């Protein structure tokens, strides 16, 4: 039998032993070499670092970027120079040093081709967009990215949304952002997959506690502790966070806990983890342009979401032999989300016309009343239980005398969701909507959804020569969605009952092929093609009837079938080293979606429906440079993303200045830019170690302008949302062996900017409002923008216990 210890150490240059399996893994630099870049955010072109894990399957739990995990389950990864894509990576250490609140905030500040749309004005609920594809916490947003935590898909079953607030930042060991339609990661991987791995006690011994305070009433306490004894290890982390918010009514209360217990020996690794969260977040959306002079104010309030999570995951692996690894996981997730959404009605401040949204006979039209409501409040509850697992095997045996690595597996993800919503008639007091009738109005939804997702997948990296590597991958997906329920909604002042029952089944085999050529240790050329798919989510299937539009997330209609979305990605590029300390990369990509799904606005204000709109395309260029020279470290990422509609279609966008005066319809032509996606982004991170105890760092984030939602034809008179650039600074000082202090300033130059725009009607522009007394200005079509946060600062203190 071969020396297992030598193989598990993954060719560390710290050992001089000769191991039979050493030829299967790439060489890496000594861990005693210069400290891993604290701001490493572009692992796509940095050579993988290697850690001395006692068990190779445990390696991803360490705060180093070793190899790229090309399969859903944590296991033996693939050296970067054998991955045919511009993968980006980051460590938990980078997230901690930049004091990022959550994964989404960190991605937006650092990684190439990533932007964030702050649609609701809350730092924990931003849309994260990568290469023009979205991972959003908002129901109704078409999703195009899959997110995994320790091999578990955390896109919520009901709408494929991603709740960034549920993932504790201080529990993260590392993340990989895998671009393209990689079929290995299953459903919803149209533009990419984000794989998050959590820490273990083996790689993170000791304990620490941190307190933070500063602007906007922010105060936070976080802790983490880990250790190992014999074959057992443990790790726990927690966060308690409160912030009043910089805008009115934008309070956030975040409570997160993560715990993991592990056991391992030479052959086996077993981890049992628990993730808990109880979070309440308030948001206040965008402001019409005439109100942006005071960005602290709200348009209408209240709007809130309360997320509660309990998640248990069991991950295990066993070496059947020196060259065969069996891995598996099981998980259970329980998530409950309570939402409160306020809406100013489109007849504000009352037109004296009886509305059938009232549950009583409408004879009294004295406004405001149930017969002539000014506003409405929607209360919704989403209860989801998700469970499933995967079984995966990795084989490292040579094939026909050539190096080869094969990984294959099966997976099942089952979701059970109960959704309900009710509408209250409300009045407007200032900007707050106040209910004037109890929950006995006819508008309501009761919906049960079942998602059964199954996958059979495999990937093989075959070394044609020592310099040329061929990768073949594929996955067969089956998605079964069953809906049952009813709805009552108002369409054109008519009470319309909805039958939400429906059965839908989608299946497809998605292939991938890639090639890597390494003419030298300093240069890697790659190219590849891959396909992925997304099945329509229950929320889309329950709101797909143009004759019965819904006002998300509060009412659903019938369920005509939607086609699955199929993505096809081409990617090519190169990466290498200028010298031992400076790395670079350059690449091109193109992704085309067929039968893409879009939320189409209807003529009823605030309502719409989901529809397949034909082809869309995302293509672009990515450039990167990172390195370390003495005490200076830097990372530079530039990207150009062109996201366009490729099939003409019509939609209702009555607030668009080019809309038909009667129908409110606009015509979206081929080549129109998809709103919300800026063409250009630039990320620059610079760190400098002034003394061994004192470091300082800064981030520059710059994006070009973008179109507002509702301006899909790119012709609205309000124009684009202007681009912006902001600078953030952070510094750390080690007072003593146990005490550390840090500070962070965001938006150092106090720039005024907006990250998101939406065309809509400003209902407060007209008779009786405080913004305009001139009837000539009562055309209330406007462009709403979500203002970016002004300059702010925080300071924190950390005490470390034998860390």
């Amino acid at each position: 039998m071969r020396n297992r210890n030598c193989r598990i150490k993954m060719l560390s240059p710290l050992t001089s032993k000769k191991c039979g399996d050493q030829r299967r893994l790439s060489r890496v630099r000594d861990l005693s070499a210069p400290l891993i870049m604290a701001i490493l955010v572009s692992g796509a072109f940095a050579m993988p670092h290697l850690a001395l894990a006692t068990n190779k399957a445990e390696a991803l739990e360490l705060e180093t970027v070793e190899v790229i995990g090309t399969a859903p389950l944590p296991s033996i990864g693939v050296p970067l120079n054998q991955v045919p894509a511009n993968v980006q990576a980051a460590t938990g250490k980078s997230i901690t040093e930049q004091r990022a609140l959550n994964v989404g905030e960190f991605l937006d500040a650092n990684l190439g081709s990533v932007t964030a749309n702050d649609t609701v004005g809350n730092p924990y609920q931003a849309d994260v967009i990568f290469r023009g594809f979205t991972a959003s916490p908002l129901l109704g947003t078409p999703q195009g990215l899959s997110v995994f935590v320790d091999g578990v898909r955390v896109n919520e079953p009901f709408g494929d949304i991603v709740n960034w607030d549920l993932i504790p930042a201080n529990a993260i060991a590392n993340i990989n952002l895998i671009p393209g339609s990689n079929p290995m990661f299953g459903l919803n991987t149209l533009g990419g997959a984000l794989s998050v791995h959590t820490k273990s006690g083996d790689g993170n011994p000791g304990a620490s506690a941190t307190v933070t305070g500063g602007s906007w009433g922010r105060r936070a306490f976080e802790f983490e502790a880990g250790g190992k004894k014999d074959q057992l290890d443990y790790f726990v982390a927690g966060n308690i966070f409160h912030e009043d918010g910089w805008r009115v009514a934008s309070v956030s209360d975040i409570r997160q806990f993560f715990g993991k217990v592990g056991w391992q020996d030479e052959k086996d690794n077993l981890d049992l983890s628990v993730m808990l969260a109880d979070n309440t977040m308030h948001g206040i959306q965008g402001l019409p342009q005439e109100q942006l002079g005071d960005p602290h104010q709200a348009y209408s309030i209240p709007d809130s979401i309360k997320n509660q999570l309990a998640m248990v995951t069991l991950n295990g692996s066993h070496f059947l032999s020196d060259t065969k690894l069996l891995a598996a996981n099981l998980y259970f997730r329980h998530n409950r989300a309570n939402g409160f959404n306020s809406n100013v009605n489109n007849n504000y401040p009352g037109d004296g016309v009886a509305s059938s949204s009232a549950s009583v006979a409408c004879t009294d039209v004295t406004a405001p009343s149930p017969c002539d409501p000014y506003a409405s409040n929607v209360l919704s509850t989403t209860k989801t239980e998700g469970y499933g697992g995967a079984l995966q095997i990795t084989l490292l045996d040579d094939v026909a005398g050539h190096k080869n690595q094969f990984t294959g597996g099966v997976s099942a993800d089952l979701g059970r969701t109960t959704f309900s919503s009710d509408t209250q008639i409300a009045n407007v007091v200032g900007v707050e909507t106040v209910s004037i009738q109890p929950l006995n109005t006819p508008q309501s939804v009761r919906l049960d959804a079942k998602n059964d997702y199954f996958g059979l997948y495999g990937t093989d990296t075959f070394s044609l020569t020592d310099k040329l590597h061929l990768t073949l991958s594929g996955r067969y997906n089956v998605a079964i969605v069953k809906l049952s329920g009813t709805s009552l909604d108002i369409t054109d002042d008519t009470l319309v009952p909805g039958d939400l029952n429906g059965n839908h089944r989608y299946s497809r085999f998605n292939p991938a092929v890639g090639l890597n050529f390494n003419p030298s240790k300093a240069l890697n050329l790659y190219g590849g093609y891959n396909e992925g798919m997304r099945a329509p989510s229950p929320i889309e299937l329950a709101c797909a009837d143009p004759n019965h539009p819904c006002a998300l997330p509060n009412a659903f209609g019938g369920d005509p079938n939607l086609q699955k979305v199929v993505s096809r990605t081409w990617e090519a590029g190169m990466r290498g080293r200028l010298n031992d300390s400076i790395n670079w990369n350059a690449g091109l990509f193109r992704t085309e979606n067929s039968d893409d799904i879009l939320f189409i606005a209807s003529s009823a204000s605030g309502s719409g429906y989901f529809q397949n709109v034909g082809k869309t395309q995302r293509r672009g260029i990515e450039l990167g440079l990172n390195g370390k020279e003495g005490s200076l470290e830097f990372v530079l990422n530039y990207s150009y993303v062109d996201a366009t509609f490729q099939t003409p279609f019509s939609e209702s966008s009555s607030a668009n200045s080019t809309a038909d005066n009667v129908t409110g319809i606009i015509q979206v032509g081929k080549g129109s830019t998809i709103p919300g996606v800026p063409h250009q982004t630039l990320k620059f991170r610079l760190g400098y170690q002034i003394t061994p105890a004192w470091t300082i760092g800064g981030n520059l984030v710059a994006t070009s302008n973008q179109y507002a939602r509702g301006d899909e034809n790119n012709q609205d008179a309000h124009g684009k949302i202007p681009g912006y650039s902001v600078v953030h600074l952070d510094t750390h000082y080690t007072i003593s062996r146990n005490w550390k202090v840090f500070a962070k300033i965001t938006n150092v130059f106090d720039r005024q900017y907006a990250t998101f725009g939406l065309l809509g009607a400003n209902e407060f522009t007209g008779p009786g409002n405080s913004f305009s007394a001139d009837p000539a200005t009562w055309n209330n079509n406007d462009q709403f923008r979500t203002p970016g946060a002004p300059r702010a600062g925080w300071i924190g203190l950390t005490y470390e216990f034998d860390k």
Side-chain angles (χ1 to χ4, degrees):
M1 181 176 178
R2 294 172 181 163
N3 184 305
R4 180 179 304 278
N5 185 60
C6 187
R7 186 183 68 81
I8 291 174
K9 290 189 176 180
M10 301 170 69
L11 303 190
S12 166
L14 300 180
T15 177
S16 60
K17 295 180 180 180
K18 301 293 184 179
C19 303
D21 289 320
Q22 286 186 354
R23 64 185 185 279
R24 287 177 171 80
L25 299 168
S26 62
R27 291 187 176 273
V28 293
R29 291 176 289 180
D30 191 327
L31 289 180
S32 62
L35 184 65
I36 298 171
M37 292 174 57
I39 42 73
L40 176 63
V41 294
S42 48
F45 48 89
M47 295 302 290
H49 295 275
L50 203 53
L52 301 181
T54 57
N55 183 307
K56 188 188 299 185
E58 193 184 18
L60 289 175
E61 298 172 335
L62 303 178
E63 285 195 351
T64 52
V65 181
E66 305 168 352
V67 289
I68 303 303
T70 56
L73 288 184
S75 64
I76 301 173
V78 176
L80 180 64
N81 62 7
Q82 296 179 24
V83 178
N86 182 30
V87 180
Q88 300 182 73
T91 64
K93 184 177 180 181
S94 302
I95 298 173
T96 299
E97 290 192 349
Q98 295 185 34
R99 311 308 305 179
L101 292 182
N102 51 65
V103 177
E105 182 180 280
F106 178 82
L107 296 177
D108 176 51
N110 292 276
L111 270 61
S113 297
V114 175
T115 56
N117 286 346
D118 189 7
T119 57
V120 300
N122 186 283
Y124 282 91
Q125 288 193 293
D127 292 352
V128 175
I129 300 172
F130 172 61
R131 289 187 175 182
F133 293 91
T134 305
S136 170
L138 301 182
L139 283 174
T141 303
Q143 310 286 332
L145 303 174
S146 60
V147 180
F148 291 79
V149 176
D150 290 336
V152 176
R153 186 177 185 268
V154 295
N155 296 75
E156 302 295 344
F158 190 51
D160 282 329
I161 65 173
V162 179
N163 290 309
W164 301 110
D165 62 291
L166 301 181
I167 306 173
N170 62 334
I172 295 173
N174 58 72
I175 58 178
N176 289 333
L177 181 56
I178 300 99
S181 312
N182 191 317
M184 292 293 288
F185 290 90
L187 296 175
N188 224 61
T189 310
L190 303 180
L194 181 70
S195 183
V196 178
H197 303 102
T198 58
K199 297 176 182 177
S200 70
D202 188 23
N204 298 271
S208 66
T210 299
V211 293
T212 306
S215 298
W216 313 329
R218 180 181 297 182
R219 48 190 182 271
F221 171 77
E222 63 184 72
F223 68 90
E224 62 178 272
K228 182 176 181 179
K229 184 177 181 180
D230 299 326
Q231 294 175 312
L232 290 173
D233 67 81
Y234 73 92
F235 178 81
V236 294
N239 298 293
I240 301 174
F241 174 94
H242 172 85
E243 182 179 281
D244 297 332
W246 71 275
R247 298 176 66 187
V248 298
S250 59
V251 176
S252 297
D253 283 289
I254 306 297
R255 291 171 288 273
Q256 303 167 327
F257 173 82
F258 176 82
K260 179 190 286 187
V261 177
W263 177 88
Q264 60 278 318
D265 61 13
E266 287 185 330
K267 294 183 178 181
D268 305 288
N269 183 57
L270 190 66
D271 290 318
L272 177 65
S273 63
V274 175
M275 188 180 297
L276 306 174
D278 185 3
N279 305 328
T280 302
M281 298 156 290
H282 295 260
I284 49 177
Q285 297 89 35
L287 292 171
Q289 290 194 62
E290 60 263 35
Q291 291 182 246
L292 287 171
D294 180 12
H296 298 81
Q297 63 183 311
Y299 177 73
S300 70
I301 55 174
D303 289 289
S304 66
I305 185 74
K306 181 178 178 65
N307 279 334
Q308 295 175 304
L309 172 73
M311 176 177 170
V312 180
T313 305
L314 180 64
N315 272 300
S317 63
H318 171 70
F319 280 102
L320 301 172
S321 70
D322 283 355
T323 60
K324 297 177 177 64
L325 173 67
L326 188 67
N329 76 354
L330 293 171
Y331 73 89
F332 174 80
R333 300 181 80 242
H334 175 81
N335 186 20
R336 179 187 177 101
N338 294 321
F340 188 100
N341 181 253
S342 63
N343 301 288
V344 180
N345 287 356
N346 62 350
N347 67 333
Y348 178 86
D351 56 9
V353 177
S355 170
S356 59
S357 62
S359 62
V360 296
C362 281
T363 57
D364 178 12
V365 293
T366 303
S369 75
C371 296
D372 191 10
Y374 281 5
S376 62
N377 290 328
V378 182
L379 288 78
S380 63
T381 299
T382 307
K383 293 185 290 186
T384 300
E385 290 187 350
Y387 50 93
L391 181 66
Q392 180 177 293
I393 190 168
T394 299
L395 307 176
L396 298 174
D397 298 289
D398 289 353
V399 173
H402 292 261
K403 302 172 188 176
N404 192 74
Q405 180 168 324
F406 170 82
T407 298
V410 295
S411 67
D413 296 281
L414 311 178
R416 304 292 183 261
T417 302
T418 299
F419 176 87
S420 64
S421 75
D422 294 278
T423 301
Q424 296 176 317
I425 301 304
N427 187 18
V428 180
V429 180
V431 295
E432 184 174 2
T433 60
V434 179
S435 298
I436 60 176
Q437 186 172 341
L439 287 174
N440 58 1
T441 56
Q443 289 179 273
S444 65
V445 175
R446 299 294 183 268
L447 176 63
D448 291 326
K450 296 182 179 180
N451 311 64
D452 293 338
Y453 298 155
F454 304 99
L456 174 65
Y457 59 89
T459 181
D460 188 88
T461 300
F462 180 75
S463 297
L464 299 168
T465 69
D466 289 340
K467 297 182 178 181
L468 188 62
H469 309 279
L470 174 67
T471 299
L472 297 174
S473 306
R475 183 180 182 115
Y476 182 71
N477 290 314
V478 175
I480 301 171
V481 182
K482 296 181 179 181
L483 306 175
S484 62
T486 60
S487 71
L488 290 172
D489 197 16
I490 305 299
T491 300
D492 297 328
D493 286 333
T494 301
L495 185 61
V496 180
D499 178 2
L500 303 180
N501 298 325
N503 295 318
H504 308 266
R505 186 182 188 277
Y506 305 90
S507 62
R508 191 177 194 272
F509 177 76
N510 301 294
V513 60
L515 200 64
N516 284 79
F517 178 56
N518 305 309
S520 70
K521 294 181 179 180
L523 180 63
N524 171 226
L525 309 177
Y526 65 87
Y529 170 80
N530 44 65
E531 297 182 4
M533 68 167 279
R534 178 170 83 85
S537 67
I539 194 173
E540 292 169 332
L541 292 168
C543 181
D545 187 352
N547 296 317
H548 189 176
C550 56
L552 291 171
N554 45 314
F556 297 140
D559 62 329
N561 193 48
L562 294 172
Q563 300 300 312
K564 61 179 175 286
V565 183
V566 176
S567 61
R568 299 172 175 87
T569 298
W570 293 91
E571 182 165 0
M574 59 183 70
R575 53 200 165 209
R577 296 182 177 186
L578 297 179
N579 54 43
D580 288 342
S581 60
I582 298 179
N583 310 294
W584 60 272
N585 77 290
L588 305 171
F589 69 88
R590 176 180 176 271
T591 299
E592 182 180 89
N593 283 5
S594 59
D595 292 317
D596 212 347
I597 296 175
L598 187 69
F599 186 70
I600 304 295
S602 77
S603 57
S605 177
S607 298
Y609 56 93
F610 291 95
Q611 176 180 297
N612 294 109
V613 295
K615 293 182 179 180
T616 61
Q617 178 181 266
R618 285 85 167 168
R619 58 183 180 178
I621 301 170
E622 295 173 334
L623 304 173
L625 186 70
N626 75 46
K628 177 179 174 65
E629 290 290 341
S631 298
L632 184 69
E633 298 174 317
F634 65 91
V635 177
L636 177 67
N637 283 314
Y638 168 82
S639 61
Y640 175 86
V641 178
D642 181 34
T644 57
F645 298 105
Q646 293 297 302
T647 301
F649 65 95
S650 302
E651 73 165 345
S652 176
S653 182
S654 58
N656 191 306
S657 61
T658 64
D660 183 275
N661 291 331
V662 177
T663 64
I665 298 294
I666 64 172
Q667 304 297 325
V668 181
K670 179 179 180 179
S672 297
T673 297
I674 297 174
V677 183
H679 278 122
Q680 300 184 78
T681 61
L682 178 69
K683 312 290 177 65
F684 181 50
R685 169 71 180 178
L686 189 65
Y688 185 72
Q689 187 171 15
I690 300 175
T691 70
W694 184 18
T695 62
I696 188 170
N699 291 69
L700 168 67
V701 180
T703 74
S704 61
N705 51 28
Q706 60 179 285
Y707 288 101
R709 291 185 188 174
D711 191 16
E712 280 74 18
N713 64 351
N714 306 162
Q715 297 178 25
D716 180 67
H718 292 95
K720 297 180 180 180
I721 310 300
Y724 62 89
S725 61
V726 292
V727 174
H728 313 306
L729 294 178
D730 57 82
T731 185
H732 302 258
Y733 184 76
T734 300
I735 301 173
S736 66
R737 181 177 180 272
N738 301 108
W739 291 98
K740 295 182 179 180
V741 65
F742 64 86
K744 179 177 180 178
I745 302 175
T746 58
N747 194 1
V748 174
F749 300 104
D750 204 21
R751 301 288 191 188
Q752 294 186 6
Y753 66 100
T755 62
F756 174 75
L758 173 71
L759 300 184
N762 181 1
E763 303 300 340
F764 297 116
T765 302
N769 70 77
S770 60
F771 301 122
S772 175
D774 182 3
T777 67
W778 289 352
N779 178 359
N780 60 359
N781 291 339
D782 210 331
Q783 184 188 81
F784 288 67
R785 298 177 182 176
T786 303
R791 179 170 51 228
W794 301 275
I795 189 169
L797 186 65
T798 298
Y799 183 81
E800 295 184 345
F801 305 81
D802 299 323
K803 197 165 179 63

